[in-house]
Amino acid sequence: MIIKISKEKKGVKIIFVQKDSRSKKISFLSKGIGNISEIKEYLKLYNFEANKNQSILFNINKKKYLVFSIEKNYSLDTLRKSASKIFKELKKNKEKEAHLIIPNEKEEEIIAIIEGANLSDYKFDKYISKKEKDINLNITLDISKNFEKTIKDTITICNNVKETRDLVNENANLITPIYLEKISKKLAKDKKLKIKVLNEKNLKKENLGLIEAVSKGSPKTPARLIIVEYKGDPKSKEKIALVGKGLTFDTGGLNLKPTNYIEDMKIDMAGAATVYGIFKSAVELKLKKNLFLVIPSTENAISESSYKPGDVIKSYSGKTVEITNTDAEGRLILADALSYIQKKEKPTLIIDFATLTGASMVALGMETAAVFGNDNNTYKKLKKISKENGEKIWKMPIFKDHENVLKSNIADTLNAAIGKGRFGGASSAAAFLKGFIEKDVKWLHFDIAGPAYSSSENSYIPINGTGRYVRLIVEYLKNN
Ligand SMILES: [Zn+2]
């Protein structure tokens, strides 16, 4: 899909209308169409009532029109979903050119329309032999040239959302820690960024015991800790670490996952894919921020060398961890990554993303990230953005009892609660991570086990990897 500003009005003219609920009169939000009375006659002829989200495609004297009815006081996400619907309608009719006459020449509305259309233009069909033929749709917008950069930046972010989806959707036999290292190195080289990668030997030498323990079951797919630095604002003391769980395949370890729970475990690196998408967007948009991309990455596999339930392991921070369940491995690799980045780079804010717990899905469903942490100020700002951008978040607590259930008799902490302590598992997982956050460091933890993945296509969210939260955090970094 190509979206550009142009006065050329080729192809289908897309017109937004609205119905007054009392008078039932249809008003045209899109201005400068010309032959409105003729279009109105056709709408009457086709009994078009302009109900919510109703659309109609028709010809008048060889000119094609797509009229779309949008609700009154629509939100930006409604506009995004409308653009998705319009795009799919054009695609279904194999249209190649369209001219969209936007309802309002406002930046946020232009962004929402581009996102809705562009994010719907996605399919992971690499492994399908007989692919559907793709039609490249050209969409023109007759708006001020001042929005040129807005359009370019929005498309950059959308492309990174799609790359995040691709990383999640791709096979686990391709997306390994080494692969994540490779793409991070390429990004660092292309953009002249500092990169540090700890391989299996460095991890051992520097005592990142938790990452090492989880990786022991997959000696042929060794672990990595990847750190890329972007200094967009050298004068500022603020440093944000974006940490993502890069578990490239989670069997559960010796606490093996059963059938029906293991099939989609290639997605357990979605946290890493999300922070990669955010970081790459920030670099490409040249945002004035100092950022670290931090990806602890390993498999959690089974072999004779796998770490075992009952093992006590010393973390990078020095804290010892009793393993009660080898399937609670995400928090282990995150804990070492969190300690390491805090010690080496002293970030002022840490935001981590992880497909961490089934309990977060039980609590909030499949579309909402459970957010934990001590930085209510940043959370409030994110919540405000989230209300309009469609990526839902909800703040969850870490109470004292969530910390207490992690008490061990033989070590400083359990990795996962046992018995009745297992209830509230999203909060106790977050409590475990909290134990590795140093005093006065601002921290937010996103448990995205549900929203990272979708079992069906829904508007601009495709089936499988969703790429959610890349847009949310980029928007935050842009404006704060
Ligand atoms: Zn697991």
Side-chain angles (χ1 to χ4, degrees), residues 22-120:
R22 274 192 218 152
S23 68
K24 309 282 181 219
K25 258 182 137 180
I26 297 172
S27 55
F28 282 67
L29 295 183
S30 301
K31 303 288 176 230
I33 305 154
N35 48 342
I36 283 190
S37 56
E38 209 175 356
I39 294 170
K40 274 187 175 169
E41 262 176 49
Y42 270 77
L43 293 179
K44 230 183 223 168
L45 191 70
Y46 290 115
N47 291 322
F48 183 79
E49 288 179 5
N51 295 323
K52 199 169 112 182
N53 297 333
Q54 197 184 357
S55 68
I56 184 168
L57 187 73
F58 58 88
N59 285 295
I60 304 177
N61 304 328
K62 288 185 182 165
K63 275 187 187 157
K64 273 189 186 172
Y65 295 89
L66 191 150
V67 175
F68 187 90
S69 171
I70 191 161
E71 67 199 60
K72 282 234 159 143
N73 307 319
Y74 56 83
S75 68
L76 288 179
D77 204 42
T78 302
L79 199 55
R80 205 172 282 117
K81 285 174 180 159
S82 305
S84 169
K85 220 171 161 213
I86 289 166
F87 168 75
K88 287 177 186 176
E89 182 93 15
L90 293 171
K91 196 116 194 187
K92 198 175 84 192
N93 285 286
K94 301 194 168 29
E95 300 295 344
K96 285 182 187 149
E97 313 257 11
H99 181 71
L100 196 145
I101 309 165
I102 62 162
N104 262 310
E105 200 164 310
K106 281 188 191 161
E107 188 178 38
E108 65 268 28
E109 296 205 7
I110 294 166
I111 291 173
I113 286 173
I114 294 170
E115 286 175 340
N118 194 311
L119 293 174
S120 302

Side-chain angles (χ1 to χ4, degrees), residues 245 250 252 257 268 300 326-330:
K245 173 183 171 186
D250 184 13
K257 286 177 188 289
D268 217 14
N300 183 22
T326 59
D327 197 9
E329 81 300 327

Side-chain angles (χ1 to χ4, degrees), residues 115-364:
E115 286 175 340
N118 194 311
L119 293 174
S120 302
D121 187 21
Y122 177 82
K123 212 184 279 170
F124 187 75
D125 58 2
K126 190 177 159 185
Y127 297 109
I128 292 173
S129 311
K130 280 187 185 164
K131 292 188 211 342
E132 271 174 52
K133 213 180 149 216
D134 200 42
I135 296 162
N136 202 1
L137 178 63
N138 279 295
I139 301 176
T140 54
L141 302 168
D142 185 7
I143 51 175
S144 158
K145 287 268 181 202
N146 294 339
F147 291 113
E148 210 83 78
K149 186 174 175 343
T150 304
I151 293 179
K152 193 171 153 264
D153 287 355
T154 307
I155 291 171
T156 297
I157 298 166
C158 288
N159 286 339
N160 287 319
V161 171
K162 291 176 186 176
E163 195 173 340
T164 298
R165 292 171 179 173
D166 279 344
L167 285 169
V168 173
N169 290 335
E170 187 51 88
N171 287 353
N173 64 15
L174 181 75
I175 308 293
T176 59
I178 306 284
Y179 185 90
L180 295 177
E181 174 186 9
K182 206 170 83 188
I183 59 169
S184 302
K185 276 188 170 161
K186 184 171 185 305
L187 176 65
K189 194 176 170 217
D190 288 351
K191 301 290 176 186
K192 299 186 175 61
L193 307 174
K194 215 166 113 188
I195 181 165
K196 180 176 179 181
V197 180
L198 276 70
N199 64 18
E200 63 273 35
K201 280 179 200 146
N202 312 135
L203 289 167
K204 198 176 175 70
K205 210 173 124 201
E206 298 221 30
N207 299 316
L208 286 101
L210 297 178
I211 298 179
E212 207 209 333
V214 177
S215 73
K216 275 169 77 183
S218 57
K220 286 186 181 162
T221 310
R224 293 289 183 266
L225 176 62
I226 303 158
I227 299 168
V228 193
E229 183 180 2
Y230 165 67
K231 269 191 181 163
D233 189 8
K235 280 182 198 155
S236 166
K237 286 209 164 66
E238 190 193 44
K239 291 191 255 182
I240 303 174
L242 302 162
V243 184
K245 173 183 171 186
L247 215 297
T248 57
F249 193 82
D250 184 13
T251 66
L254 292 174
N255 290 101
L256 179 64
K257 286 177 188 289
T259 299
N260 296 333
Y261 291 86
I262 199 168
E263 294 79 359
D264 57 7
M265 277 304 120
K266 66 178 183 185
I267 74 163
D268 217 14
M269 38 58 72
T274 307
V275 289
Y276 179 80
I278 296 165
F279 183 84
K280 190 158 170 258
S281 301
V283 172
E284 288 176 349
L285 263 50
K286 300 191 175 77
L287 297 188
K288 284 198 163 55
K289 285 280 169 195
N290 302 321
L291 303 173
F292 291 98
L293 170 69
V294 183
I295 300 178
S297 182
T298 176
E299 275 189 5
N300 183 22
I302 294 182
S303 80
E304 60 178 330
S305 54
S306 293
Y307 78 134
K308 299 173 182 70
D311 285 354
V312 174
I313 294 155
K314 196 169 180 182
S315 67
Y316 179 74
S317 75
K319 216 177 195 184
T320 56
V321 182
E322 178 189 352
I323 305 302
T324 53
N325 191 320
T326 59
D327 197 9
E329 81 300 327
R331 64 196 72 180
L332 298 175
I333 68 167
L334 283 173
D336 265 359
L338 291 169
S339 299
Y340 190 83
I341 196 70
Q342 286 173 100
K343 179 157 184 223
K344 299 287 178 190
E345 303 292 352
K346 310 244 174 307
T348 49
L349 167 65
I350 299 174
I351 306 178
D352 81 69
F353 283 85
T355 45
L356 208 62
T357 66
S360 68
M361 298 189 262
V362 174
L364 298 175

